[in-house]
Amino acid sequence: MPIIEMRKVNKWFGALHVLKNIDLQVEKGEVVVVIGPSGSGKSTLIRTINALEPIQKGQIVVDGIELGRNPRQVDAVRKEVGMVFQSFNLFPHMTVLENVTLAPRVVRKWPREKAEKIAHELLERVDISDQAEKYPAQLSGGQQQRVAIARALAMQPKIMLFDEPTSALDPEMVGEVLDAMKELARSGMTMLVVTHEMGFAREVADRVIFMDMGEILEEGEPDQVFSSPRHERTQAFLARIIH
Amino acid sequence: MKSLKLLALTVLMLALLAAGYILFFDGVELALKWYFLAVHFTASKVPHFAHNLRLGAEITIKLTVISSLVGLALGLVAGISRLSQNPFFRLPAQFYIWVIRGTPLLVQILFAYNALPFLLEPLWKYLQPLGVPPIQDVLTPYWAAFIALSVNVGAYNAEVIRAGIQAIAKGQWEAAMSLGMKPFQVMRYIIVPQAIKIVVPPLVNNVIALLKDSSLASVITLLELVHQGQRIISITFRPVEVYVAVAAVYLVLTTVLTFFTDWLERNMSKSGAAV
């Protein structure tokens, strides 16, 4: 059984039809990269999976829980799905350690010692353990994004969503964030990644999805999509971004 | 260990505050005595005048403090309700803010003192057998002024708090909700702590305005600063000297409040990084 299943998902922003009959299945442990031009609906797509964006038609089932109107189901899904944002969205009034331990303590009700122990392990894992007592504003963009990854992982999610995690970074910091994501992918995490980093997609993706104008136009293994794209709009898009 | 330290610190602060309060008003009374002697008021009456003005100033400050505390609670509830998706919370909050900000405070004070007893009388029929004193004894000028002022400042605080909450970036909500936090938890741990830094300066502005507006309670015979001054004028027929004294006491009170805010703002910007 797939861990994420989307059936005939439709979403409108007013009159704008941003997701059109999306069918998507993601298996446990799979790494799926979503590419496409801006405004194609790829961010909206992954934001529906943890109900940050409500849908108007269709069905989304995450880890056996159907995302309906019931807030309990939404809460249950959000506990299992971590998310990393383009703009980091760290909590600026808390230290790095507090950022990472807050949700485990108030949502999972872990005692402080347990939350901090796991937080330190995660900060070690994203190679930022020496910054635990600093505030986000004192860190570089790349460091902030790695903290954001640790913060999401602290809830011990089964799925991780990445919404253009490197797009707001200075070029020299992209690598350190991608390295953290690659390590996560190798550890067997189920990941859905919206990105323009084709190198990352080639290296770790099991599957690449190309979206344009709210539709999934093409999907396949990275080699196939990048080397011999079938759809002409995929070809045009790739020609524009691969130099 | 940490909480014990905090407790000790709080007790110490409160003791210092109480001592400071007494010293401050003793100082005010002494200064008024010198002033009234300097402007040649009848020497035998001067201690009496100075003491009465001091009592008025104390009522003014006490009324301001308790009204701003209750007004802060009202403002929090109304400000957050005003942003609720649920019309059962939003509409009453909107109505409250609309009515209070759209009517003069003077009318609200007169209403609380003269009209509220009539409105509450039916309720008192049930309460009085339980040993509650009659409504006229409960709604003294002081408590009527307290009700009017806290309800009034609460509406202005609500608008400040609403604006402060809305100033926090949407991404903070999204990040917190994506971690599985419920709206109440997002408010408590993420939004309110950040919004406080934004709202404290305008909230203290409201307190300073409240301190000055409390003078309107003189119309319902509350013996606050202005009314005490008026009584001295009716004895001495010296409005110039007395109103100068009254205004000076207000100025000292507002200046102290301003110093306190500046200190608070500096301390808050030290703890935690900028938003």
Side-chain angles (χ1 to χ4, degrees):
Chain A
M1 203 178 103
I3 193 162
I4 302 173
E5 182 150 30
M6 304 177 83
R7 280 185 226 117
K8 297 261 172 291
V9 169
N10 281 274
K11 178 177 177 63
W12 287 264
F13 283 127
L16 193 67
H17 199 174
V18 286
L19 293 179
K20 298 176 188 160
N21 278 327
I22 299 288
D23 282 307
L24 177 67
Q25 296 185 342
V26 178
E27 297 297 328
K28 199 169 178 345
E30 207 180 0
V31 177
V32 177
V33 167
V34 186
I35 59 171
S38 65
S40 59
K42 52 195 193 304
S43 284
T44 310
L45 172 79
I46 69 165
R47 286 162 58 89
T48 61
I49 293 168
N50 62 354
L52 282 186
E53 298 285 357
I55 60 170
Q56 278 86 40
K57 256 172 79 183
Q59 194 183 27
I60 302 178
V61 181
V62 180
D63 195 27
I65 307 162
E66 183 177 351
L67 270 178
R69 295 229 166 264
N70 188 340
R72 271 213 203 128
Q73 291 164 329
V74 172
D75 286 342
V77 166
R78 282 179 178 159
K79 278 187 201 171
E80 308 303 331
V81 181
M83 187 160 202
V84 175
F85 300 84
Q86 180 176 355
S87 49
F88 325 141
N89 297 348
L90 292 180
F91 307 132
H93 58 301
M94 296 180 174
T95 64
V96 165
L97 188 66
E98 288 164 346
N99 263 277
V100 180
T101 52
L102 178 69
R105 289 179 60 199
V106 305
V107 180
R108 291 250 189 253
K109 312 277 182 215
W110 290 353
R112 176 193 289 269
E113 297 72 38
K114 181 179 176 191
E116 286 189 351
K117 185 172 165 284
I118 287 172
H120 281 297
E121 286 168 15
L122 286 168
L123 290 172
E124 184 85 31
R125 191 168 161 195
V126 296
D127 198 18
I128 204 161
S129 48
D130 47 340
Q131 316 282 354
E133 299 306 324
K134 287 194 179 165
Y135 285 92
Q138 296 168 288
L139 304 181
S140 73
Q143 290 172 323
Q144 288 191 50
Q145 194 61 302
R146 283 183 283 147
V147 173
I149 293 172
R151 178 178 69 177
L153 289 176
M155 283 293 288
Q156 305 197 322
K158 294 179 178 155
I159 300 163
M160 285 283 285
L161 307 173
F162 292 83
D163 188 4
E164 303 205 27
T166 57
S167 300
L169 294 175
D170 289 335
E172 75 267 27
M173 291 166 185
V174 171
E176 61 194 57
V177 171
L178 291 180
D179 286 343
M181 289 166 62
K182 285 174 196 166
E183 189 270 325
L184 191 59
R186 281 186 212 108
S187 76
M189 176 65 76
T190 309
M191 291 165 63
L192 233 82
V193 185
V194 172
T195 187
H196 297 293
E197 297 294 331
M198 298 303 148
F200 172 82
R202 270 182 193 279
E203 195 178 329
V204 299
D206 298 303
R207 186 153 46 120
V208 173
I209 288 176
F210 175 73
M211 276 187 82
D212 194 16
M213 300 176 80
E215 286 177 292
I216 294 179
L217 288 184
E218 181 160 358
E219 57 181 302
E221 288 184 5
D223 273 345
Q224 181 262 308
V225 174
F226 290 133
S227 322
S228 49
R230 288 187 210 112
H231 201 286
E232 62 189 78
R233 273 192 270 171
T234 318
Q235 292 162 8
F237 174 73
L238 290 173
R240 259 181 289 132
I241 61 161
I242 297 175
H243 311 288
Chain B
M1 191 60 199
K2 205 174 170 186
S3 60
L4 206 71
K5 233 171 153 180
L6 208 70
L7 186 75
L9 213 68
T10 317
V11 171
L12 188 72
M13 288 279 276
L14 285 178
L16 276 175
L17 213 63
Y21 176 89
I22 294 166
L23 272 176
F24 176 80
F25 282 101
D26 281 350
V28 167
E29 189 174 338
L30 195 62
L32 285 168
K33 249 185 233 169
W34 287 339
Y35 168 77
F36 285 140
L37 287 173
V39 295
H40 307 296
F41 275 37
T42 315
S44 63
K45 295 231 172 107
V46 161
H48 177 65
F49 292 158
H51 188 65
N52 278 1
L53 270 193
R54 176 235 177 106
L55 292 180
E58 279 193 63
I59 287 189
T60 292
I61 203 87
K62 279 180 196 160
L63 191 59
T64 304
V65 168
I66 60 168
S67 304
S68 28
L69 288 178
V70 173
L72 183 64
L74 280 173
L76 261 174
V77 172
I80 291 173
S81 305
R82 171 90 169 62
L83 290 170
S84 171
Q85 311 273 338
N86 187 339
F88 285 102
F89 290 110
R90 193 181 63 240
L91 292 180
Q94 252 168 342
F95 180 78
Y96 162 59
I97 294 165
W98 174 63
V99 168
I100 296 301
R101 297 210 313 166
T103 55
L105 175 57
L106 183 56
V107 173
Q108 292 161 15
I109 289 173
L110 289 169
F111 189 91
Y113 186 55
N114 293 319
L116 208 53
F118 286 104
L119 291 179
L120 291 180
E121 228 164 17
L123 180 70
W124 243 253
K125 274 195 196 118
Y126 299 103
L127 289 178
Q128 243 170 334
L130 304 172
V132 177
I135 180 77
Q136 289 79 5
D137 294 357
V138 175
L139 273 184
T140 57
Y142 186 82
W143 292 110
F146 160 71
I147 290 173
L149 288 173
S150 35
V151 166
N152 181 271
V153 77
Y156 286 92
N157 287 348
E159 284 297 272
V160 166
I161 285 162
R162 176 189 61 78
I165 290 170
Q166 283 179 326
I168 306 300
K170 205 172 126 236
Q172 294 288 304
W173 277 97
E174 293 186 341
M177 307 239 285
S178 77
L179 289 163
M181 292 167 72
K182 295 188 184 11
F184 172 78
Q185 294 173 320
V186 183
M187 269 288 173
R188 157 131 165 51
Y189 294 105
I190 308 301
I191 306 300
V192 170
Q194 293 183 66
I196 280 179
K197 285 180 197 173
I198 302 170
V199 300
V200 161
L203 281 182
V204 177
N205 256 342
N206 284 355
V207 172
I208 293 174
L210 180 72
L211 179 95
K212 294 179 289 179
D213 290 345
S214 68
S215 61
L216 286 171
S218 59
V219 300
I220 55 169
T221 72
L222 177 66
L223 280 170
E224 43 68 71
L225 194 47
V226 169
H227 196 58
Q228 290 282 17
Q230 286 167 335
R231 296 216 312 186
I232 297 170
I233 292 169
S234 69
I235 298 169
T236 59
F237 301 104
R238 302 275 291 269
V240 175
E241 292 86 346
V242 175
Y243 277 132
V244 165
V246 166
V249 175
Y250 274 113
L251 198 56
V252 169
L253 292 178
T254 51
T255 306
V256 169
L257 262 179
T258 312
F259 276 135
F260 173 67
T261 345
D262 290 348
W263 174 81
L264 204 66
E265 258 178 84
R266 262 201 315 278
N267 267 275
M268 279 197 317
S269 58
K270 250 187 275 170
S271 72
V275 178

